[in-house]
């Protein structure tokens, strides 16, 4: 990566890096989803992958914030769903907006934000995860475990790819960046 940045425009190098690695990571999870019939790909993985490859040294991109942020989003989303929406018709049968879903969305996002602030865990895509769950789009406990496993798998892929590229991507928490920076 360092050689590429010395010989080509940085913006182009980072654009190709984000493009190629976003494709590889989501493609592998998509293949796993096809083989298992499980939701290993869901909307908030997109912004997570983008953070991993566009700003790998940012606090929000650290494995700690990513894994714990999505876990908080899943827990808060499921709690809000169970509290406000579980007795409503499933999302596929009644996809419209109605009171219980609005309450669940507001509860889940506010609780997720408060817990992440309290625990100093910053990962904005977790806000999308909590809404996916609280709105009932994905709400089965088995699927929630699969979502967290997908987050962990994406994080492991990002760790390997970023380290192979020579980026000092953290093992868990963000550390003071050294070397290559986008």
């Amino acid at each position: 990566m360092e050689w590429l940045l010395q010989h080509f425009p940085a913006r182009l190098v980072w654009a190709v890096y984000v493009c190629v690695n976003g494709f590889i990571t989501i493609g592998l999870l998509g293949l796993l989803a096809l083989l298992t019939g499980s939701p290993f790909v869901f909307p908030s993985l997109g912004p997570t992958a983008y953070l991993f490859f566009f700003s790998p040294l940012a606090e929000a991109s650290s494995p700690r914030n990513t894994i714990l942020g999505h876990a908080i989003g899943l827990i808060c989303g499921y709690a809000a769903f169970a509290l406000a929406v579980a007795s409503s018709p499933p999302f596929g049968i009644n996809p419209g907006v109605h009171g219980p879903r609005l309450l669940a969305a507001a509860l889940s996002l506010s609780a997720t934000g408060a817990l992440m602030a309290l625990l100093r865990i910053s990962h904005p895509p977790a806000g999308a995860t909590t809404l996916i769950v609280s709105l009932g789009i994905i709400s089965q406990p088995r699927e929630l475990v699969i979502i967290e496993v997908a987050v962990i798998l994406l994080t492991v892929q990002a760790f390997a790819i970023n380290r192979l590229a020579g980026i000092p991507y953290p093992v868990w928490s963000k550390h003071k960046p050294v070397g290559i920076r986008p």
Side-chain angles (χ1 to χ4, degrees):
M1 187 73 158
E2 197 168 316
W3 183 89
L4 291 171
L5 288 169
Q6 291 173 357
H7 291 86
F8 297 99
R11 189 178 303 190
L12 177 62
V13 171
W14 283 109
V16 171
Y17 188 74
V18 170
C19 178
V20 168
N21 292 311
F23 181 85
I24 290 169
T25 55
I26 298 300
L28 288 172
L29 289 171
L31 182 60
L32 185 58
L34 281 173
L35 294 173
T36 64
S38 298
F40 279 97
V41 175
F42 53 95
S44 51
L45 274 189
T48 296
Y50 179 79
L51 284 173
F52 281 158
F53 302 115
F54 184 74
S55 54
L57 301 178
E59 181 181 349
S61 301
S62 75
R64 173 191 180 271
N65 287 358
T66 301
I67 292 168
L68 296 178
H70 282 286
I72 290 169
L74 289 167
I75 291 165
C76 292
Y78 189 74
F81 175 80
L83 182 67
V85 182
S87 62
S88 298
F91 187 81
I93 294 172
N94 187 6
V97 177
H98 63 286
R101 282 206 183 102
L102 294 175
L103 175 61
L107 284 172
S108 70
L109 190 59
S110 62
T112 298
L115 280 173
M116 288 197 310
L118 183 66
L119 300 173
R120 295 183 179 192
I121 295 168
S122 175
H123 189 70
T129 297
T130 201
L131 290 175
I132 290 165
V133 176
S134 66
L135 291 170
I137 298 167
I138 297 176
S139 60
Q140 298 301 311
R142 176 186 171 276
E143 295 173 329
L144 304 182
V145 171
I146 291 168
I147 287 174
E148 190 64 13
V149 168
V151 168
I152 293 167
L153 290 173
L154 179 63
T155 303
V156 168
Q157 291 176 37
F159 177 84
I161 289 168
N162 283 323
R163 286 293 180 101
L164 285 171
I167 298 168
Y169 186 71
V171 172
W172 183 245
S173 295
K174 179 188 179 290
H175 55 76
K176 296 210 185 263
V178 183
I180 302 170
R181 291 170 56 179

